[in-house]
Amino acid sequence: GEDVEQSLFLSVREGDSSVINCTYTDSSSTYLYWYKQEPGAGLQLLTYIFSNMDMKQDQRLTVLLNKKDKHLSLRIADTQTGDSAIYFCAETLSAGGGNKLTFGTGTQLKVEL
Amino acid sequence: EAEVAQSPRYKITEKSQAVAFWCDPISGHATLYWYRQILGQGPELLVQFQDESVVDDSQLPKDRFSAERLKGVDSTLKIQPAELGDSAMYLCASSTISYEQYFGPGTRLTVT
């Protein structure tokens, strides 16, 4: 079955690195995603990784995938106050070609000065 | 930069009334999704269209919800009658054949 779990809160100081973690249960996941949601807004696609990769880097963002442990993480380097938001991990399966995203409950990141 | 458009941004309605939301996907995106996001949770798929055809509506409460995408471009999601439990953010997303889904700003529905 599909289940995506995340911790609810993370607080970091400005300039530090943030690491947001996610676990998923479906080994058939083909793509895994990180979305950012600011208050009252829609979801912004930050990055995604194909399941045959173990790392992807995009500017300040680094995604690590441990497929054996079904663990995904997002590292934000030099975290800024503008990074304060809710971060959602999501997975999609290839079966049926539907590309339905299954989301976690979100991790609220608070960046303190 | 092209964006998914949604309207209205906010809607307050009384229970048992009808309500409708509109979505205009990014130009050229054949796949359109409607998600519902209850406060404090991640979005959940309600319905997915490929062009004008429904691909997945397994989680759509069909006794009160309906969705259409008649010309394969913009889409309307309707709730009739609205219930208190329908209060949520309704998000529209679109994609091409790739695995990148882009979301609109959402419609915040409050049912009183």
Side-chain angles (χ1 to χ4, degrees):
Chain A
E2 305 164 1
D3 196 11
V4 181
E5 296 187 354
Q6 301 178 238
S7 54
L8 292 180
F9 299 104
L10 176 65
S11 180
V12 299
R13 290 195 177 275
E14 188 177 41
D16 288 350
S17 292
S18 307
V19 179
I20 303 170
N21 295 300
C22 169
T23 58
Y24 61 98
T25 56
D26 199 318
S27 57
S28 301
S29 296
T30 52
Y31 286 92
L32 294 127
Y33 301 79
W34 286 103
Y35 280 86
K36 175 184 179 182
Q37 187 175 36
E38 298 186 43
L43 276 71
Q44 175 191 352
L45 176 61
L46 290 177
T47 187
Y48 62 95
I49 189 168
F50 188 49
S51 57
N52 69 351
M53 298 169 64
D54 53 18
M55 188 183 89
K56 182 178 179 180
Q57 186 155 2
D58 184 0
Q59 299 181 335
R60 292 192 298 123
L61 305 179
T62 302
V63 178
L64 295 178
L65 175 61
N66 182 328
K67 196 168 182 181
K68 174 177 170 289
D69 294 338
K70 299 189 182 68
H71 183 264
L72 183 74
S73 68
L74 174 69
R75 178 178 180 268
I76 305 172
D78 186 25
T79 312
Q80 302 297 307
T81 54
D83 295 323
S84 292
I86 299 177
Y87 290 80
F88 289 95
C89 166
E91 63 177 350
T92 191
L93 308 176
S94 61
N99 298 341
K100 178 181 85 169
L101 287 172
T102 299
F103 286 88
T105 52
T107 299
Q108 183 165 355
L109 174 64
K110 181 179 179 182
V111 182
E112 299 175 326
L113 295 173
Chain B
E1 182 177 309
E3 296 181 342
V4 177
Q6 288 189 248
S7 67
R9 291 292 312 276
Y10 304 92
K11 180 71 178 178
I12 300 174
T13 192
E14 294 181 347
K15 68 177 183 179
S16 81
Q17 295 299 304
V19 63
F21 315 127
W22 177 79
C23 172
D24 191 12
I26 294 171
S27 179
H29 282 197
T31 311
L32 184 147
Y33 312 79
W34 284 101
Y35 289 84
R36 176 170 61 184
Q37 184 180 21
I38 295 170
L39 191 63
Q41 299 182 19
E44 293 184 326
L45 182 71
L46 290 174
V47 61
Q48 177 186 342
F49 290 91
Q50 180 67 31
D51 299 308
E52 65 276 8
S53 301
V54 172
V55 173
D56 183 354
D57 64 355
S58 57
Q59 299 304 308
L60 188 71
K62 298 182 188 63
D63 57 336
R64 297 183 301 107
F65 285 64
S66 64
E68 60 183 17
R69 193 184 184 198
L70 294 176
K71 296 182 180 179
V73 181
D74 59 337
S75 174
T76 302
L77 178 69
K78 297 179 182 176
I79 307 175
Q80 182 174 15
E83 295 181 353
L84 295 177
D86 297 331
S87 293
M89 175 82 91
Y90 290 83
L91 295 160
C92 180
S94 71
S95 69
T96 62
I97 57 173
S98 75
Y99 288 91
E100 298 176 4
Q101 290 187 30
Y102 295 94
F103 284 78
T107 296
R108 169 72 67 189
L109 173 67
T110 302
V111 182
T112 61

